[in-house]
Amino acid sequence: MAWMIRITKMHGNGNDFILIDEFEREIIPEKLKPDFVKAVCHRRFGVGADGVLFVQKSDIGDARFRYFNSDGSEAEMCGNGIRCFCRYIVEEGYAKEGKVRVETLAGIKELEVWFDGKWWVKVDMGRPKFGKDVPAKEDVWGKEFEVKGRKFKVYAVNTGVPHAVIFVDDLDFDIIEPARFIRFHEIFPEGINVNFAKVESRSKVFVRTYERGVEDETLSCGTGSCAVAIVGHKLGILDNKVDVQTKGGVLRIEVGETVYMTGTANRILEGEINLNELGISLDLHSKPY
């Protein structure tokens, strides 16, 4: 018997996700979620994605957001992912267009969802955390890290997940080696995402992000874009309203008492996948979707 389950493929500025709708019932057993995520995200043997979103019921919000990186690890938040998630729950009738409340591991998130020819989502990302709350073993604010003779001044902030921000004069270099050195540095006990940013003007900045869990550069990172805007504003080199240009598109970030991120969400594929072909075996008491 082929164990077919429904999937939706979505992306926010090229940061792509597989979405599994578990609002009515569990589809992928909890203990199998990491293996399922790793298999379905594989870009050769699976569908291919940066991560997987699970839509679940919530007692304190319109829906519960679960996000797993492509390596099978669960993360507290994903800025591009939650925009895709919110478009989906509005289109499916789990929430209404306008104000939406979503339960995440980083707390309740308040969002606005609207359609004007494109689907837009504005996310209240909450208050950033600094110092040991990143988490980090010490306050990483302007700390220099040296990788093969090149020094990088790092500023750490948590925007739902931990981020390192590095301002550079030129983004035309291979970011992978220095990013991995910083990402796995012992000073960050849970690891860290790494963002390299080039300021174009006080209201525009270019960003490239290496994401923890994906272990590679992604086309866009919502929480990373927020981190860059926050650090740049705190350093006095960016205004409080900034367009963050990523390889996948533009995100609008507003820095105040809390941080707001606005961007689009694209729903590009509806289909079914065969769990047997992915090498995932469900419990014998489960039923095909």
Side-chain angles (χ1 to χ4, degrees), residues 5 7 9 37 40 58 73 80 158 170 179 182 193 195 229 232 249-250:
I5 66 167
I7 66 166
K9 182 79 183 284
V37 168
V40 78
S58 171
S73 62
N80 290 322
N158 188 307
D170 185 5
I182 296 164
N193 300 280
N195 306 270
V250 177

Side-chain angles (χ1 to χ4, degrees), residues 223-265:
T223 53
S225 296
C226 291
V228 168
I230 291 162
V231 173
H233 182 59
K234 195 169 182 180
L235 291 174
I237 58 177
L238 292 174
D239 291 337
N240 69 316
K241 293 183 180 180
V242 182
D243 284 345
V244 178
Q245 178 70 58
T246 69
K247 286 186 175 181
V250 177
L251 291 172
R252 300 167 187 165
I253 311 298
E254 300 173 45
V255 180
E257 288 188 11
T258 62
V259 180
Y260 292 91
M261 174 191 65
T262 303
T264 56

Side-chain angles (χ1 to χ4, degrees), residues 26 28-29 32 40 50 100 103 119 151 153 172 179 184 202 207 217 219 223 242 248 276 282:
E26 183 181 74
I28 304 298
L32 293 181
V40 78
D50 291 325
V100 176
E103 178 187 354
W119 283 94
K151 293 181 180 179
K153 189 174 288 188
D172 187 18
F184 288 106
R202 292 193 60 85
V207 177
E217 182 177 4
L219 292 179
T223 53
V242 182
N276 291 341
L282 290 179

Side-chain angles (χ1 to χ4, degrees), residues 126-140:
R127 294 175 181 268
K129 299 177 183 178
F130 302 93
K132 292 184 178 180
D133 291 332
V134 167
K137 292 181 179 179
E138 62 183 73
D139 187 7
V140 178

